[in-house]
């Protein structure tokens, strides 16, 4: 019996002990749970201190990125950076998706090789470089709805982008130049990480909307539009609330936070324009300048026109094609922080059909009266023309008002022998009128005989092209070609005013003219739709001036955008 009892106790002892396999599984499970919450920190605070001592203005953007954020190269604690991402069984690479692209936007895949153009739907893997051009923009979205919008002339590197087993998203970006707007979605429980590194700071958020800018001097501006942002510099942490901003010029001595300015309201904005819109901005206290933006969308992502203007400066939005737009504004304070954006103000531009160009003009006097003959080019998208002649410059009481001219000529008789002005516009097939031409003066003295060459005199064989003025401070780019595609260009000149004189072509045929406005910053708008004029070998007798003996001298008194 004693022997049986001893055997039974021995068996019970071994059964009660846990197996090595089950113990290992429990240990491994606990270890994975712990590791899953241990997120590799890519913070650069230590590097900032070294960076601020050595100075932040030297080296290329890539060199600065390595100096400032060298610790971000370490994917896991204790690992050694080898130039490639360190794989983790608890994290997978996180790809962004191109939600919007405009103009020039390129990517260098994983920081190597050629730059490729981006298109909507492209995937952006970690460690890729992004770059936008002069009029470029690109928006990258992630699976949680967070996004990063790159404005023009912007360079960004995706340093880190991971997804953990518990679905936490970890993203670190380096902004070396330009402007970005980040929208970060909040999540339940432990939130994801979203940080933007710059040469002088790190902006960290867990659910907010904010802007970050790095200027040519590599100084950083952070502006919070919603929620809160933490800005980490070499020596301190700055907590920014909604509606606050900070400028970090020296990481060791950052400027204190300050309130963002309100946006200026546009003054004189109309709902419909048939010429380039001209507005002014209401004054905002503390503003040094303003940013004016025109976008295709209400959110202001797809900008088609953008300017910084001084206080009190009138804004001419030239070079915009016909279509519907939204106007947005922001104030800029003395240290360069930009305020909250305004609401989106809708407006529409419809400049086409353009006013026709005047071909010939004749003036004759009989007794105490005079008659004026006007001829103009046919505009392809015009159904008819509207012509006015007036004694006053504002055309409040025109002596001739013909809105139903189907032909391309008109003779006004019975006018008194005194000064007049005339203007003309095209009317589209849907009865929508285009913009008026600039008024053109008809001189008071009129020769006693019919003479199309007497007003004005083109005996020197020159042609004068006069366009509608785009506004103060604009220059003009004029081209004349033998074909409507402008492959055989005869004249290509830039002039200070909306008028150019060129020698009349010797060969008969049809010639095409187009013009573009150039603003004060040197940016050239789109060329107008071509208009044409004809040079003929033989001329009607009434076009030949008595005693001139030179035939037809073409006068383009009016050519408009």
């Amino acid at each position: 019996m004693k022997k049986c009892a001893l055997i039974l106790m021995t068996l019970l002892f071994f059964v009660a002990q846990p197996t090595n396999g089950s113990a290992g599984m429990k240990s491994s499970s606990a270890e994975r749970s712990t590791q899953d919450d241990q997120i590799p920190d890519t913070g650069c605070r230590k590097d900032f201190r070294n960076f601020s001592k050595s100075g932040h203005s030297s080296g290329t953007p890539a060199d600065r990125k390595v100096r400032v954020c060298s610790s971000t190269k370490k994917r896991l604690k204790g690992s050694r950076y080898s130039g490639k991402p360190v794989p983790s069984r608890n994290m997978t690479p996180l790809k962004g998706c191109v939600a919007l692209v405009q103009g020039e936007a390129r990517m260098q895949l994983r920081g190597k090789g050629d730059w490729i153009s981006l298109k909507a739907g492209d995937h952006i893997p970690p460690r890729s470089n992004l770059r936008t051009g002069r009029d470029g923009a690109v928006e990258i979205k992630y699976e949680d709805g967070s996004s990063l919008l790159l404005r023009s002339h912007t360079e960004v590197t995706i340093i880190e982008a991971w997804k953990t087993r518990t679905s936490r998203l970890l993203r670190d970006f380096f902004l070396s130049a330009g402007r970005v707007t980040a929208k970060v979605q909040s999540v339940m429980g432990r939130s994801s990480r979203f940080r933007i590194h710059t040469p002088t700071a790190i902006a960290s958020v867990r659910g907010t909307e904010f802007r970050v800018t790095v200027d040519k001097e590599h100084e950083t501006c952070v502006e919070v539009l919603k929620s809160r942002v933490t800005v980490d510099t070499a020596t301190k942490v700055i907590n920014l609330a909604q509606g606050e901003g900070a400028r970090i010029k020296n990481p060791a001595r950052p400027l204190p936070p300050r309130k963002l300015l309100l946006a200026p309201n546009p003054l004189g904005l109309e709902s419909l324009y048939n010429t380039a819109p001209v507005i002014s901005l209401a004054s905002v206290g503390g503003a040094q300048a303003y940013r004016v933006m025109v976008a295709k969308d209400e959110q202001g992502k797809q900008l088609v026109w953008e300017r910084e203007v001084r206080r009190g400066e009138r804004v001419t939005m030239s070079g915009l094609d016909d279509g519907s737009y939204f106007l947005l504004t922001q104030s800029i304070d003395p240290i360069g922080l930009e305020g909250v954006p305004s609401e989106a103000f809708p407006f529409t531009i419809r400049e086409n059909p353009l006013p026709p160009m005047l071909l010939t003009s004749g003036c004759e006097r009989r007794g105490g009266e005079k008659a004026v003959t006007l001829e103009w080019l046919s505009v392809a998208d015009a159904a008819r023309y509207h012509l006015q002649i007036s004694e006053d410059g504002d055309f409040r009481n025109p002596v001739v008002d013909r809105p139903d001219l189907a032909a391309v000529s008109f003779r006004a008789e019975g006018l008194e022998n005194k000064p007049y002005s005339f203007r003309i516009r095209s009317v589209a097939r849907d009865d929508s009128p285009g913009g008026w031409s600039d008024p053109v003066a008809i001189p008071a003295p009129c020769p006693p005989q019919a003479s199309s060459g007497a007003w004005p005199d083109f005996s020197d064989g020159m042609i004068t092209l006069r366009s509608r003025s785009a506004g103060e401070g604009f220059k003009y780019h004029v081209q004349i070609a033998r074909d409507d595609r402008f492959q055989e260009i005869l004249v290509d000149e830039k002039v200070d005013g909306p008028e150019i004189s060129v020698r009349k072509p010797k060969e008969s045929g049809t010639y095409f003219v187009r013009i573009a406005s150039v603003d004060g910053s040197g940016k050239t708008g789109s060329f107008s739709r071509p208009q044409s004029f004809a040079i003929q070998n033989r001329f009607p007798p009434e076009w030949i001036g008595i005693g001139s003996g030179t035939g037809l001298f073409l006068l383009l008194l009016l050519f408009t955008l």
Side-chain angles (χ1 to χ4, degrees):
M1 290 294 294
K2 291 182 179 181
K3 187 175 182 180
C4 290
L6 181 61
I7 294 173
L8 181 60
M9 291 176 62
T10 303
L11 290 173
L12 291 174
F13 174 78
F14 281 105
V15 170
Q17 298 300 314
T19 63
N20 290 338
S22 62
M25 289 177 62
K26 291 180 181 179
S27 175
S28 176
S29 176
E31 182 181 354
R32 281 197 302 269
S33 177
T34 303
Q35 288 179 352
D36 199 40
D37 288 334
Q38 292 177 351
I39 308 303
D41 186 8
T42 59
C44 302
R45 191 162 187 173
K46 181 178 179 181
D47 295 298
F48 271 131
R49 295 191 182 99
N50 298 331
F51 177 68
S52 62
K53 292 178 182 178
S54 62
H56 67 278
S57 60
S58 62
T60 64
D63 296 334
R64 289 191 295 273
K65 179 174 65 177
V66 172
R67 289 204 304 270
V68 176
C69 292
S70 60
S71 63
T72 64
K73 307 296 186 180
K74 300 179 181 179
R75 296 296 191 273
L76 296 173
K77 186 177 181 180
S79 65
R80 187 173 183 179
Y81 176 66
S82 61
K84 298 180 180 180
V86 179
S88 170
R89 61 182 177 179
N90 296 320
M91 295 189 294
T92 57
L94 179 65
K95 292 184 178 181
C97 182
V98 176
L100 178 148
V101 63
Q102 175 178 296
E104 181 185 351
R106 298 178 179 273
M107 172 182 66
Q108 190 181 43
L109 193 63
R110 294 184 175 86
K112 298 179 180 179
D114 297 333
W115 289 84
I116 58 176
S117 297
L118 290 171
K119 62 182 182 299
D122 284 347
H123 291 287
I124 310 296
R127 299 177 57 78
S128 295
N129 296 324
L130 303 174
R131 177 187 296 167
T132 57
R134 177 175 180 177
D135 297 315
V138 62
E139 183 182 32
I140 310 301
K141 278 197 172 182
Y142 289 90
E143 60 183 60
D144 65 339
S146 298
S147 64
L148 186 71
L149 175 65
L150 283 67
R151 294 296 191 186
S152 60
H153 293 303
T154 296
E155 297 182 9
V156 168
T157 296
I158 304 176
I159 303 173
E160 305 272 11
W162 298 98
K163 182 178 181 180
T164 71
R165 290 181 66 249
T166 55
S167 297
R168 294 183 63 193
L169 306 183
L170 314 173
R171 289 150 294 190
D172 282 82
F173 307 88
F174 183 82
L175 172 64
S176 57
R179 298 179 292 152
V180 298
T181 299
K183 292 185 178 180
V184 185
Q185 298 294 329
S186 297
V187 295
M188 299 298 293
R190 297 183 63 186
S191 57
S192 299
R193 188 179 73 204
F194 194 107
R195 301 194 297 197
I196 297 179
H197 305 245
T198 74
T200 55
I202 303 174
S204 306
V205 299
R206 296 186 185 277
T208 188
E209 181 178 351
F210 66 107
R211 298 188 300 246
V212 182
T213 301
V214 174
D215 61 18
K216 295 180 180 179
E217 287 72 34
H218 312 298
E219 299 178 11
T220 300
C221 288
V222 181
E223 299 139 0
V224 183
L225 305 180
K226 292 181 181 179
S227 191
R228 295 177 177 273
V229 171
T230 299
V231 180
D232 196 351
T233 70
T235 58
K236 64 185 299 185
V237 174
I238 305 173
N239 293 311
L240 297 177
Q242 181 171 318
E244 291 184 337
R247 185 178 185 90
I248 298 89
K249 180 177 181 179
N250 185 339
R253 294 186 298 275
L255 298 176
R258 57 195 300 167
K259 285 286 186 181
L260 300 180
L261 299 177
L262 297 177
N265 288 323
L267 303 177
L269 182 68
E270 300 177 4
S271 60
L272 177 64
Y273 289 90
N274 50 33
T275 60
V278 180
I279 64 168
S280 57
L281 300 174
S283 179
V284 174
Q288 179 174 281
Y290 305 103
R291 184 180 298 277
V292 182
M293 299 165 286
V294 178
K296 293 181 179 179
D297 62 309
E298 194 170 358
Q299 292 75 32
K301 296 179 181 180
Q302 296 175 278
L303 298 182
V304 295
W305 191 93
E306 184 179 18
R307 295 289 186 278
E308 286 188 25
V309 298
R310 301 183 301 272
R311 288 175 61 98
E313 182 180 353
R314 289 178 63 81
V315 184
T316 301
M317 294 173 279
S318 63
L320 295 173
D321 296 330
D322 288 2
S324 297
Y325 300 97
F326 294 91
L327 174 72
L328 300 99
T329 64
Q330 293 171 186
S331 297
I332 304 175
D333 72 9
I335 68 170
L337 289 177
E338 300 199 18
V340 295
S342 69
E343 64 175 289
F345 299 94
F347 68 96
T348 300
I349 294 179
R350 181 163 182 175
E351 290 193 72
N352 290 290
L354 298 175
M357 292 182 290
L358 207 64
L359 266 179
T360 62
S361 57
C363 179
E364 61 179 286
R365 187 182 68 202
R366 293 180 180 178
E369 296 182 347
K370 67 178 180 180
V372 176
T373 300
L374 302 174
E375 296 185 60
W376 55 87
L377 293 178
S378 176
V379 178
D381 49 353
R384 62 182 188 277
Y385 306 95
H386 186 180
L387 182 141
Q388 290 183 337
I389 300 177
S390 177
E391 297 180 26
D392 55 86
D394 55 11
F395 291 84
R396 292 182 180 178
N397 299 300
V399 296
V400 175
D401 188 3
R402 294 295 303 272
D404 55 349
L405 297 177
V408 291
S409 64
F410 178 76
R411 179 178 174 85
E413 298 181 335
L415 299 177
E416 298 181 29
N417 196 25
K418 59 183 180 181
Y420 292 93
S421 296
F422 71 91
R423 64 180 184 178
I424 190 170
R425 65 180 177 181
S426 302
V427 181
R429 292 176 176 83
D430 62 357
D431 292 332
S432 298
W436 287 106
S437 66
D438 288 340
V440 178
I442 301 175
C446 191
Q449 72 279 354
S451 174
S452 62
W455 171 61
D457 184 9
F458 282 111
S459 57
D460 58 354
M462 301 295 289
I463 297 175
T464 297
L465 309 176
R466 182 184 299 169
S467 72
R468 182 173 54 191
S469 174
E472 185 178 354
F474 281 85
K475 297 183 179 181
Y476 303 86
H477 187 185
V478 183
Q479 290 184 339
I480 302 177
R482 289 300 304 265
D483 61 294
D484 59 358
R485 300 180 65 181
F486 286 79
Q487 295 181 344
E488 188 180 348
I489 296 177
L490 305 178
V491 176
D492 188 2
E493 295 186 19
K494 291 184 178 180
V495 293
D496 293 335
E499 183 175 308
I500 184 173
S501 294
V502 297
R503 188 163 297 280
K504 181 173 69 71
K506 295 181 179 180
E507 297 182 9
S508 62
T510 302
Y511 295 84
F512 298 85
V513 186
R514 65 181 183 181
I515 191 168
S517 58
V518 184
D519 66 14
S521 66
K523 185 174 182 179
T524 303
S526 302
F527 275 107
S528 64
R529 296 180 184 179
Q531 295 193 29
S532 62
F533 63 90
I535 298 294
Q536 301 178 6
N537 285 325
R538 296 185 178 183
F539 317 110
E542 63 268 23
W543 286 6
I544 302 176
I546 296 177
S548 63
T550 58
L552 173 64
F553 295 100
L554 181 64
L555 168 63
L556 296 177
L557 290 178
L558 181 62
F559 168 67
T560 182
L561 291 172

